[in-house]
Amino acid sequence: MTRPPLTWLYVPGDRPPVVAKALAAGADVVVIDLEDAVAPDRKEYARTATAALLTDPQPVPVHVRVNALSGPWAAADLAALAALPGLSGLRLPKVTTPDEIRQVAATVTVPLYALLETALAIEHAHAIATAHPALRGIALGEADLRADLGVRADAGLDWPRSRVIVAARAAGLAPPPQSVYPDIRDLDGLTASCAHGRTLGFLGRAAIHPRQLPVIERAYLPTPAEIEHAETILKAAAAQAGALALPDGRFIDAATVTLAQRTLSLAHRD
């Protein structure tokens, strides 16, 4: 994928018809979930159905969230899926140490993505992010993190969120996507939450229903005013080297030029 993904749609692996609909829903990435969304007595079926689907290339990138590496199902998940042509990435839940990434990377050749869901994982965020070249991204699993930390108000997660964003960027990884917004009917709440996530430095968001996809994309794409501002900055920078001030008093230097370039790159991602 040459453009940065903004939407990551999770779908239960034991419901093939729902997976088929998800592949046509317009998400940048479809994440087939073998972990939390699948009951223990359905794990084998979900793995088998997912393997059958990924025998062939898919119309959009497909990642699979395997079961927790410390549990009884992960080894079979990795063995069944890692070499299939339709798989674009593996999402590893409940990662707590860099050794877990290195152990998986030694056995598979697909891109890996780590989900940090505990206090210990947050403390190890940069070590995990730099564990192996096969690791292409990190993100939070906020439901489990809330439980681990005993957080009740959403603001209580802002420090872990910033920690993961900084760790990703320090490791040279893409900005993480936000964790899922669990109320699929509250689109206004989703919009506000995305706006807050964008101010923190997230890029895009995981979703659990197709109706959330356009809301997330709108929230993370630059607004017309932001695009106009970025174009003004680049035009002024091209006309005069070094730091300068625009007629309205806004200051321009190398950092603001970089941000403007990033804004336009995202705006023209299609």
Side-chain angles (χ1 to χ4, degrees):
M1 180 180 295
T2 57
R3 66 181 193 175
L6 295 182
T7 52
W8 313 68
L9 179 59
Y10 275 82
V11 60
D14 63 340
R15 300 175 64 184
V18 179
V19 174
K21 291 181 180 179
L23 291 170
D28 293 323
V29 180
V30 170
V31 183
I32 300 177
D33 190 11
L34 303 184
E35 194 211 12
D36 287 345
V38 178
D41 63 352
R42 299 274 289 174
K43 296 288 188 184
E44 185 174 350
Y45 172 72
R47 182 190 309 122
T48 300
T50 301
L53 173 72
L54 298 181
T55 300
D56 299 312
Q58 297 301 307
V60 297
V62 175
H63 293 189
V64 174
R65 179 166 75 172
V66 296
N67 286 282
L69 300 177
S70 60
W73 300 292
D77 292 344
L78 295 173
L81 302 171
L84 296 178
L87 181 69
S88 297
L90 287 169
R91 302 185 74 78
L92 309 177
K94 299 178 176 61
V95 172
T96 57
T97 69
D99 284 343
E100 292 170 287
I101 301 299
R102 289 190 280 265
Q103 289 167 6
V104 175
T107 64
V108 304
T109 59
V110 294
L112 304 177
Y113 298 81
L115 297 175
L116 282 55
E117 306 181 60
T118 63
L120 182 60
I122 299 303
E123 287 300 300
H124 291 164
H126 185 256
I128 292 170
T130 55
H132 194 278
L135 187 74
R136 305 295 173 80
I138 61 175
L140 285 176
E142 290 190 358
D144 284 88
L145 185 60
R146 281 179 187 272
D148 192 37
L149 297 177
V151 168
R152 297 185 182 276
D154 192 66
L157 291 179
D158 277 358
W159 186 85
R161 290 164 176 162
S162 293
R163 177 71 179 269
V164 167
I165 291 164
V166 171
R169 300 305 292 145
L173 302 175
Q178 273 186 279
S179 186
V180 299
Y181 189 81
D183 188 340
I184 63 172
R185 295 181 178 85
D186 183 14
L187 299 185
D188 289 339
L190 173 61
T191 298
S193 178
C194 288
H196 179 61
R198 191 179 180 212
T199 67
L200 293 175
F202 286 113
L203 182 63
R205 188 164 201 164
I208 53 175
H209 194 282
R211 68 165 58 102
Q212 296 177 318
L213 300 177
V215 177
I216 294 168
E217 185 164 287
R218 282 195 304 271
Y220 273 97
L221 285 174
T223 65
E226 289 169 338
I227 294 170
E228 181 181 3
H229 179 50
E231 290 173 340
T232 299
I233 289 173
L234 295 185
K235 182 178 179 180
Q240 180 179 331
L244 67 148
L246 295 176
D248 63 4
R250 289 177 295 177
F251 184 76
I252 297 175
D253 61 6
T256 56
V257 169
T258 297
L259 285 172
Q261 291 169 335
R262 186 179 301 170
T263 296
L264 293 183
S265 175
L266 188 57
H268 304 307
R269 64 196 288 268
D270 292 330

